Structure formats: C-alpha cells, structure tokens
Amino acid sequence: MRRAVELAARGLGSTTPNPVVGCVITDAAGTVVGEGWHQRAGGPHAEVHALRAAGDAARGATAYVTLEPCNHTGRTGPCAQALIAAGISRVVYAVSDPSAQAGGGAATLRAAGIETTAGLLAEEAEQVNAAWLTSVRLGRPHVTWKYAATLDGRSAAADGSSRWISSAESRADVHRLRAESDAVLVGSGTLRADDPHLAVRGIEGADQPLRIALDARATVRPTARILDGAAPTLLVVGEDADTRHLPGVDVLRLPLHDGHIGVHDLLARLHARGTRSVLLEGGPALAGAFLAAGAVDRVIGYLAPALLGAGPAALADAGIKNISDALRLDITEAVRVGPDLRITAVPVTAPATATATATKEH
C-alpha cells in the first residue's frame, strides 16, 4: 500500500478534476505482478493500468488501491467491474470514496465474492489525495498557503526588499509545489510589488497551473508578466471593473464585499470550473484574508537562517484577537531544503466549507 501511495503522488497536478490513485497487484506469494497510477483525467484509472501490467497473473491476486475502486461509468468504465472481470480475489483499499457518483465500489466487490478490506495506511493516502477529498467533502478547492520568511518571521526587509529571503533550493522546491497544483493565486499587492510570473520552470513535462490574480479594480498592466501567455491566466475582478485595457484576458467577475472579493465566493467559482487545488503565493494580506475565512488547509513555510528585526511580517491580520483564538497547527513534516527549513503543517480544527461568510481580499 505504501508503494501504491507513492505511485498515486505521480499524478499530482495532472488528474484534475479526478483524484490521484495508485494501485499495486500481488500474487498469492506476495510478489508484485502489476502496478499503475491514474495519470491523466479521461485516461485509464490506476486499477486498469495495474491489471494490464499483471495480465493473467491478476487471477487470484490481491489489489492494493489508495482509494475505493470506483463504481460508475464516466469517460472510463467502473474499476470495481474491471477487478471482478480480471479474477482478483482480494481488494485492500486505504480510503473510502466519499463521492455520491463513484462510491459503492466495495459493496459491488463484496457482492461478487471478493474479500474487501478498508483503512490500510488511510492517513498517508488521505494526505496524497487531500485536494480531491477536500473538494468532495467541502465543495471547494484545497488551499495551501506557501510563504518564505526569516527566523524572526519577516517576509521582507524594512525597505521592502525581499530577494532573496529563501535559498535557490527552496525556490526550486516551490516550482514543484506549483507543478502539483491546479492553480497559483496572488493578490493585487503582489502584482504591483513583484510582477510575478508564477509559471512552472525547471520541471520537465509539468502541466502549467492556472495563474490567478485577484485584482478587484483591474489595475494590472497589460505588460505584466502574468499575462505573457506562458501559462493559462485568470484575472478575478469586481463586477463593475473596467477591463477594456486587457483584451483577450480571461476574466472572472465577482461581487465585492466592502470593496473586496469574497474568499469563499472565489473558491466556489473555482471549484465550479474544475479547480481542485490552489497554491496561495500572495503576500501577508492575502494570507490573512484566507486564514480569517477558515480557508487554508495546509501551510508550507520556508524558514531562512537569517534575521531582519524589522519589515513586514509573513502574515497580516487574520481576525485573531487573543491567544485563545490562535489557529493551532499540527506539523506533519520538517525537512532541510538547502540551508533553509521547510515546515509543513495542517490546521488542528476542520477548515470551513464554501458556504462560510465571505471575507475581504485585496
């Protein structure tokens, strides 16, 4: 199953709006005879790839799958039926499918006389498939807030300069995060200050994420790097924003709340467009708005071994007034990336759904 989880991770960034899934098939002696992963939406699912690799050796074998085999016909057939037809005798899966459309595969397998077990390495399988599971359970994309800061929590120096706080190794690692995400999001403040490009570089064969800019008043310049055509781009503006100076740009218009775009309004619309994961790369104000809205599912911080003593903090106002209201996190990983420390953490309490009250964004 751990190998199946590793295989599933290979599909990150290329299977949307489908989940990432890995499958390993072993014979009666425990020898691996086939393995596969879901590589792209519309293509064969993990079980089908593994069954093809196993061939006749699948008969009487055990299939280890990170997600309950699907039970519906979409662009491909139901994996539960494929396992039955191949003569698989036992199926072990990590996470139950929570979707109304595709769930129920385990019951179909059991009805066909196949021994079925759930829950093996469920936590690891949940982590690798967090984007899709979040989208099904909460009706919005999974959001990761990524930031870089000094050890004293500064995202820039007092004069506003911020290149380079983190190391070249950390910056390269961010491109991996982008490649694994459906969308990368910044606000108008970052657009003005940094003129970011946001496309993936240095990763061969990577699918480019959707570059999203929140710019309520459409103040972005037509020459901005984010509009260069190197990757798809979506400009999110207020309903009455004048975008005549941006011909050909994909624009999403949303109502404003006190002059700002609502976080959950945005996430609901992105979910409707098929976006299942968002990498939040904006500045402190954008991060604060998403945290205040309860819309951050994972935090990845790159901490550089440096001190500034002054300058903007990595996080602005997130609506937290006292220590008892602090958002508590569970650290899931802490590793060295070059000279930096990369910390990954998730909220201890459940994030908010897409129906939460909209909050302001710049």
Side-chain angles (χ1 to χ4, degrees), residues 21-25 34-39 43-55 58 63 65 69-70 76-83 86:
V21 183
C23 178
V24 173
I25 296 175
E35 60 181 36
W37 70 95
H38 185 38
Q39 300 174 13
H45 290 185
E47 297 93 324
V48 173
H49 280 298
L51 288 170
R52 288 175 180 174
V65 194
C70 68
T76 61
C79 290
Q81 293 296 337
L83 292 166

Side-chain angles (χ1 to χ4, degrees), residues 19 45 47 65 67-84 93 96-112 132:
H45 290 185
E47 297 93 324
V65 194
L67 183 68
E68 179 184 2
C70 68
N71 198 41
H72 81 297
T73 300
R75 284 184 282 181
T76 61
C79 290
Q81 293 296 337
L83 292 166
I84 293 169
Y93 64 91
S96 297
D97 191 325
S99 63
Q101 183 184 29
T108 297
L109 293 169
R110 293 190 188 101
W132 183 81

